[in-house]
Amino acid sequence: MPGGVWREVRAHLRREYGDTVFSSNMARLRVREDADGGLTVIAPNRFYRDWVDDHAGARLRALWNQYDPSGRAIRLVAEQDLEEAPAPVAPPKPVSVSAGDHANDARSRAVNDRFTFDTFMVGPSNEMASAAARAVVNASPSPFNPAFFYGDYGVGKTHLLNAIAHSVELGGACRKALYLTAEEFLSGFVSAMRKKDTISFKESVRRVDVLLIDDVHFIAGKPKTEDEFLHTVASLIADENQVVLASHKAPADLNVSDPRLASLLKGGFACELRKPDLDLRRKILDCKIAQASGHYPELTVPETVRDFLAARMTASARELEGVLNNVIGRTALLGRPVTMDAVEAALRELSIVSERRVTVDLIQKTVAERFGVKVSDILSKRRTKTVVKPRHVAMYLAKTMTTRSLPDIGRRFGDRDHSTVIHAVNKITDMIEAGDPVKDEIETLSREIRG
């Protein structure tokens, strides 16, 4: 049993995805060495298996090849799959194969009904990225090339790239899309060089209408791969084919050694995806629950639980989904109802420390102290600049950090109408998107309010 490699892979996945996501979605995976020399990664159920395959399957296989370059065949199954059918006698397709096979594998993964524009929830933090992605699909030639999406882990970059690929492949215009992670691009290129068959690799990635490369920061700093990547992207752009890239760093922040590649990346359209606000987290949660209901038709998640999770899990959509999966594992899998007790148990198991309970009163007090005014000033009818800005900031934070309705927030700010709250939220949102220093003030206040 290759236990040492599995420990290395697990440790790497934990570092990369974070403790919350790993504990909720990957910790219960186990590996079995098959008689034919291949490996079977076993998930406790099909829901768990589907999540891992969609979000971390390619990464898991790439990491295994990194720590064990023997080119083992790897398959991901659910526990009940093993009970229903024995392991295949013939080994499945290996991970390290020819460049063309890499491309075909990637294309089949990209066309995934779970990662579409319909399931990509849109809010202020990603609406520009969503609009740009749809433009990539619908415009020919594209108004910007390459399109470069960047942002922190778990904000939806991979979902967006897969949605583009899905829409292109099923768009009825006979266009071909190819989605690859940077590591797949790298491993395909290295494998082709070893086999002295780089022509096949070049053809597999350049004869498409839309090439999508995820996590391109992994390519930066590797001269030979950078060179091939540069020529691939330049060739596609010259032929008016679309290139879509994603990274957790902006183009200007990538550690690219080739100035030609750096210039090409900076010359495209760069669009940031930020962490979702409360409204968007709630929409994402509702979408994930609807998807989970396909596996568990009896699944019912009360509004109070949805509101609590959306307000509580602020780090990323991926972390939010991780906690939801843990809650489902404690309830629906066992035929039990989803309750706040089950949620609290899931949070304790994931070692998520309880934060200070955020209230409108706490927000008003914290903002008033920060801006050197009184809470009574914020609640008053005064319209001086020294009062209006903290009032708008406090309303914005009340909207994004609590589950209070707009009318309720308005009442708590001097019995104002809900339209006043909407105006304040839009005003601060516009300032943040324009790069105003209020963005830093909001982040500082959010940390202080959460304790």
Side-chain angles (χ1 to χ4, degrees):
M1 170 64 68
V5 174
W6 182 231
R7 283 192 293 274
E8 292 286 354
V9 171
R10 284 170 57 89
H12 200 125
L13 289 171
R14 180 185 288 274
R15 289 194 301 272
E16 190 165 307
Y17 286 84
D19 288 339
T20 299
V21 175
F22 179 86
S23 298
S24 180
N25 298 299
M26 303 180 205
R28 295 165 64 194
L29 294 174
R30 59 188 179 89
V31 66
R32 182 190 73 185
E33 189 168 24
D34 298 327
D36 57 21
L39 296 169
T40 297
V41 178
I42 306 167
N45 56 69
R46 288 171 181 158
F47 179 76
Y48 202 103
R49 176 203 63 194
D50 289 346
W51 189 96
V52 173
D53 198 27
D54 289 339
H55 294 78
R59 187 70 178 124
L60 187 155
R61 291 177 173 91
L63 285 171
W64 194 284
N65 274 357
Q66 176 180 323
Y67 292 106
D68 175 20
S70 60
R72 288 173 179 265
I74 300 175
R75 65 179 187 137
L76 180 63
V77 302
E79 195 79 51
Q80 58 260 53
D81 295 334
L82 294 177
E83 297 170 359
E84 295 172 5
V89 175
K93 187 186 296 181
V95 179
S96 290
V97 292
S98 70
D101 287 335
H102 268 293
N104 292 331
D105 286 350
R107 183 180 293 115
S108 65
R109 279 201 311 279
V111 183
N112 187 316
D113 289 339
R114 278 195 292 270
F115 293 123
T116 67
F117 284 119
D118 288 340
T119 58
F120 185 81
M121 301 294 102
V122 179
S125 62
N126 63 12
E127 60 184 351
M128 177 59 73
S130 176
R134 290 177 182 273
V136 164
V137 173
N138 297 323
S140 182
S142 172
F144 34 77
N145 206 3
F148 196 110
F149 299 102
Y150 68 96
D152 205 355
Y153 292 106
V155 295
K157 302 185 299 295
T158 297
H159 188 144
L160 200 57
L161 263 62
N162 275 274
I164 294 171
H166 179 274
S167 188
V168 169
E169 286 274 299
L170 302 183
C174 297
R175 300 172 71 203
K176 294 297 181 182
L178 172 59
Y179 168 89
L180 292 170
T181 65
E183 287 192 309
E184 288 170 332
F185 183 93
L186 175 61
S187 62
F189 178 57
V190 171
S191 175
M193 286 197 303
R194 287 174 179 168
K195 297 177 180 178
K196 298 181 179 180
D197 186 22
T198 57
I199 293 178
S200 295
F201 176 81
K202 295 176 191 290
E203 290 178 347
S204 70
V205 296
R206 297 185 190 183
R207 291 185 176 178
V208 294
D209 299 290
V210 181
L211 176 66
L212 307 101
I213 305 289
D214 207 348
D215 294 330
V216 296
H217 46 274
F218 285 116
I219 293 174
K222 300 176 176 66
K224 289 186 178 180
T225 310
E226 277 191 7
D227 187 66
E228 178 58 33
F229 183 67
L230 168 65
H231 287 97
T232 295
V233 172
S235 174
L236 285 164
I237 292 175
D239 291 338
E240 295 189 341
N241 292 322
Q242 181 67 55
V243 177
V244 184
L245 309 172
S247 170
H248 73 268
K249 292 183 178 181
D253 296 330
L254 290 174
N255 186 29
V256 176
S257 56
D258 190 326
R260 298 171 301 166
L261 179 58
S263 177
L264 185 148
L265 295 178
K266 294 175 186 177
F269 175 80
C271 187
E272 182 182 13
L273 287 82
R274 301 186 304 278
K275 291 182 179 180
D277 62 11
L278 178 62
D279 279 348
L280 183 53
R281 292 197 300 272
R282 175 57 195 263
K283 288 199 290 186
I284 292 170
L285 187 67
D286 289 345
C287 180
K288 297 301 181 185
I289 291 171
Q291 290 177 321
S293 298
H295 294 269
Y296 307 103
E298 303 301 318
L299 176 66
T300 301
V301 182
E303 293 295 308
T304 53
V305 171
R306 296 178 188 227
D307 287 342
F308 175 80
L309 287 175
R312 178 67 182 80
M313 308 309 301
T314 60
S316 70
R318 186 176 289 163
E319 183 184 53
L320 176 63
E321 185 178 2
V323 172
L324 174 64
N325 288 345
N326 199 275
V327 170
I328 291 173
R330 289 177 163 273
T331 55
L333 282 175
L334 303 175
R336 297 172 182 171
V338 177
T339 63
M340 284 301 300
D341 287 341
V343 173
E344 295 287 357
L347 295 180
R348 286 195 299 271
E349 183 176 290
L350 296 171
S351 300
I352 298 176
V353 180
S354 296
E355 297 173 342
R356 180 194 302 182
R357 181 171 175 266
V358 177
T359 64
V360 175
D361 290 341
L362 174 61
I363 290 171
Q364 292 170 342
K365 180 175 181 294
T366 307
V367 171
E369 291 175 352
R370 176 79 177 178
F371 284 90
V373 298
K374 298 177 181 178
V375 172
S376 59
D377 293 330
I378 292 177
L379 303 183
S380 72
K381 303 299 182 182
R382 292 174 56 193
R383 294 180 176 273
T384 60
K385 186 176 180 180
T386 56
V387 173
V388 170
K389 182 178 179 180
R391 182 184 296 143
H392 285 175
V393 168
M395 287 181 173
Y396 174 87
L397 290 171
K399 178 65 176 68
T400 57
M401 296 186 70
T402 77
T403 58
R404 296 290 181 184
S405 66
L406 291 172
D408 191 18
I409 293 173
R411 285 191 294 270
R412 290 166 183 266
F413 278 82
D415 202 25
R416 286 176 162 83
D417 187 79
H418 74 281
S419 61
T420 304
V421 182
I422 294 174
H423 171 74
V425 171
N426 291 340
K427 178 75 173 177
I428 297 299
T429 299
D430 290 344
M431 293 171 68
I432 291 173
E433 292 179 349
D436 191 277
V438 74
K439 178 180 179 180
D440 296 329
E441 292 175 320
I442 292 289
E443 291 177 352
T444 299
L445 283 164
S446 298
R447 288 193 296 270
E448 185 176 348
I449 291 166
R450 291 195 181 97

